[in-house]
Amino acid sequence: MSRAMQCQSCLPWGGWARCLAGSRGTRSVSVCAAAVPGPAGRCLLRKILGTSSISLPRSCVRSLQGDSQESSAQPSSSRHGQSQLRNVASSGAIKKHQKSLSAWFSHQPNEERQFGPSFSLDAVHVDPVIRESSLEEILQPSPDLTIQNQLQQPRRKVISLHNLFDVDACGRQVKNVVLYGTVGTGKSTLIKKMVVDWCHGRLPRFELVIPFSCEDLSHSHAHVSLRRLITKKYQHLRDVVPGLEASNLRVLFILNGLERLNLDFRLAGTELCCDPNEPVPPSAIVVNLLRKYLLPEASIIVTTRPSAVRRIPGKYVGRYAEICGFSDTNLQKLYFQMRLSQPGCSGEESQDRRSAEQENLVEMLSRNLERHNQITAACFLPSYCWLVCTTLHFLYFTRTVPPSQTLTGIYTSFLRLNFSGEVLDSTDPNHISMMKYVAKTVGKLAYEGVMSRKTCFSEEDLRQCFEVEMKTESELNLLEVFHSDVFRFFLSPCVQPGKEHTFVFTIPAMQEYLAALYVVLGEKKTLAQRVGKELSEVIGKVSEDVAVVVNIVSKVLPLRFLPVLFNLLKIFPRYFSRVSGKDKDAIAHTMAEELFKEEDYYNDDVLDQINSSILGVEGPMRHPDEAPDDEVFELFPIFMGGILSRRNRAILEQLGCSIKNLAAFEIAQAMKKTVIRKGRKGLPPSELMDYLFFLHEFQNERFTAEAIRSLRAVNLSSVKMTPLKCSVLASVMSTTCHEVEELNLTSCNLDSGSLRTLFPVLLRCKALHLQLNSLGADACKEIRDLLLHDKCVVSILRLTNNPVGEQGARYLAEALAGNRSLTQLSLLHTALGDPGAEAIAQHLAENQHLQELNLGYNSLTDTAALRVVEVAKRHETLDKVHLYFNDISEDGKRALDSLRMDRDGVRALVFLTAGTDVSDYWSHILNVVQRNLPFWDRERVLQHLALLLQDLESSRSQTANPLRKAKFLRVESEVKKMLGKLQDGSL
């Protein structure tokens, strides 16, 4: 950051106060303390007030009387007195003005509030690169859409924001500065930072800063004086403005967004005006300020887009400066470091965990930037750096998802931040919305790329979308403005080797968003639809006039067929409106088909895809000659659904892209049957997660409830359930209250926080699979609360391969004592040990519903195993206890083998044998072993399999029954086969 920004010097305000009031005729001043001696003071007051009549209070008259000789002996006293009087008059009002401006310009948009209050402008601002430019360079013809022109970076002098008013190369003092840049380079944010710096004393060059929005000025058509214009907007300056012209205050006017105004510098178009009290059009005030005919000593900084720079004649501009964004990768890294490391970024997390996750994010993002991937080109624009940080915050630090927080909402709000109220060209009489123009042109390019599964576009592709339909001079002018102001915001040169002569969307997901917007707005029309619409509008407009003429003619001439023909003609608009209604069906069909594309079934879910596109994929880089993977566009239908939500439609309405309520309703109705029917099928886990995310983005509670009600089983195994995905699942499932037959969350990276988020969903699940999730004691505490809840319906709970431990077992034992729904509990390989099994046994007698308990592979000894079995024998419903792969001796085995179902009421599954016969559950035990081999200690599994084989051979030798021997041999062969594969490493 510049040293000027860090300067903490204070403005030289004094403790004096004065009140200036007056009119065009006479003005008066009251000086409350003697500061200016002798006739110089009197002359000074006349100079300031510009009048011949001065009214002073008695107590101050003596301060103005003095000896002229004394005055001449001190030649600097006049200048000193003038400065003191200026401070007296303006300090209080300007301090109030500073306080008001600071509060206003430090206020962040609604989109910023999701980061928390710690994200102030001072905390995360990084100055973009500003380069000095010239009028000759600006007036050069616009370059063609070629990669060479896009990559050229002119070597010009870099200048800081606080040095814009330094003397120029010829030594002349600069008064007027034009600061220009394309959309998204940070012009408005830079101006906000400049104002805040002045308010905090970090811009001592100017004593008064007066900012104006040219958008506001363009909406004002009444004549107004400069004095009235300032005091109307900044009431604190009402006592300063009357003396503004004569007081020699160092004043800076900021005119933000000059492209909104149509300025005419011809004398015939805008008359000269030097009186701040004369009412003129707002545009005339701006012109005369820039002419230096009005307040010639004031400094002015103008921000504008490149296409509007030439509206100001070069003779009125002292310096041109271009905002070049974050053209230095180090600036991008600094921005991300500052933004993602803020205390409020990661929400309510422990300090250590929060800091570690933030540092990891910044490190991964920095590595991806260093690879010079496409994201480096994208983050050339500060606005895209904001989008990257917002998306990462959404992906990593979202603990709950309110209805207003969706991925589509982030992109829609991002476009509002950059295009709100923007028209492409204010000089065009049609005042076409910039976003509407983008949706028609860039949206068409995006849609054609999605349909052809293409992300790179040649110059010919661009011409086809932007130039083919250009027919009028106005359309060509609009294209030129778009090319100079907006093109780089959406498209940038491709950085992949071998594709240097192509363009890609600056942010990949923006292609899918604009394609979705293009379709939902109904811009995708055939030639017949376009002609039919135009013809229908023409017929509808002239039908009433033609009706009058036909009625008159039919009364005079016996042409009875004319009314019949005309009535037939009037049917056409009504018929076309019915046919055009089929467009909604086409949109719904496109959405449903793209959402359930089978070739995308086994990709990562869309949230993981977005994460990879930002942070990159860890591992070796792809070789340039290696065939790339097929492009996937799974966000396209999700964005279509998100755009149809009420909140996003309201934002798009502000951008000039109107989507009617009836259209959204008809599209939802048209796609309901197809989506629900296809969603009811068994979708792969990642595709099911995409489906749930689509329902969340759609924000249609009734539609979501019908879709979720049809889902009886939810299988999300192996989907990395981040806090965001857990919140999405909980939000979508909360639209109904039906019971879920099965919820499979195996190997989903769950923790105690995830279980807390999913608590309302877990209550309604009959079968709950939580295997392989590293769930420890804290998670077991959440599970205890779940099982003890009076609305819990969980009957099957599988916690296999989780580090439950002794403390976790105690929590689960408490849950068993009070639960009334659980029938099957699997604690296979959960590190219980004897203490954990003892805790389970102590509370097992209080349970009245459990039927099956799996304590296999928990290092249980004879004592703990027999203790559990003794309790199980007295249990009313428990009839099966799994104890295989534990440290049970031969004596313990014999004791457990002696159990009889008809006598003891429980069966213990310990080995593959049951006395001198093969156990009925031998295949079940071997299947369990085979399924869990990737997660178990192979050496220990080999030892246990060897013991099982030894036990089989011993039992076979003790029986003379040939059928039993055959069964033993069959099981032995299966065990030997598994042992062989384990030893070879093929299993």
Side-chain angles (χ1 to χ4, degrees), residues 11 33 44 63 100 119 122 135 155 225 261 281 296 384 460 546 569 674 697 763 766 809 826 937 956 959:
L11 293 177
L44 175 61
S63 69
S100 176
F119 283 86
D122 281 337
L135 183 61
R155 294 185 176 274
S225 67
L261 287 174
Y384 273 111
E460 183 60 31
V546 174
L569 194 63
T674 305
E697 294 283 314
L763 281 175
K766 292 183 177 179
S826 176
D937 182 2
R956 175 167 54 84
T959 181

Side-chain angles (χ1 to χ4, degrees), residues 145 150 182-185 305 374 377-381 383-384 387 411-412 414-420 422 424 433-446 455-457 462 466 481-494 502-515 517 652 655 657:
L145 299 176
Q150 293 296 326
T182 59
V183 174
T185 49
R305 301 200 307 257
Q374 200 64 50
C379 292
F380 157 81
L381 295 172
S383 59
Y384 273 111
L387 180 61
Y411 275 75
T412 307
F414 168 70
L415 292 175
R416 179 173 65 178
L417 283 173
N418 289 277
F419 295 98
S420 180
E422 292 273 3
L424 188 60
S433 159
M434 184 180 289
M435 196 62 229
K436 182 71 172 178
Y437 186 88
V438 168
K440 285 185 174 182
T441 55
V442 187
K444 179 183 177 183
L445 180 71
T455 58
C456 296
F457 303 93
L462 300 182
F466 292 108
V481 172
F482 170 82
H483 176 243
S484 63
D485 295 352
V486 192
F487 178 82
R488 284 294 301 271
F489 185 84
F490 291 104
L491 293 160
S492 60
C494 183
T502 60
F503 292 87
V504 297
F505 277 83
T506 309
I507 289 287
M510 188 60 74
Q511 177 180 353
E512 297 175 78
Y513 181 93
L514 292 177
L517 183 61
L652 288 169
L655 298 176
C657 300

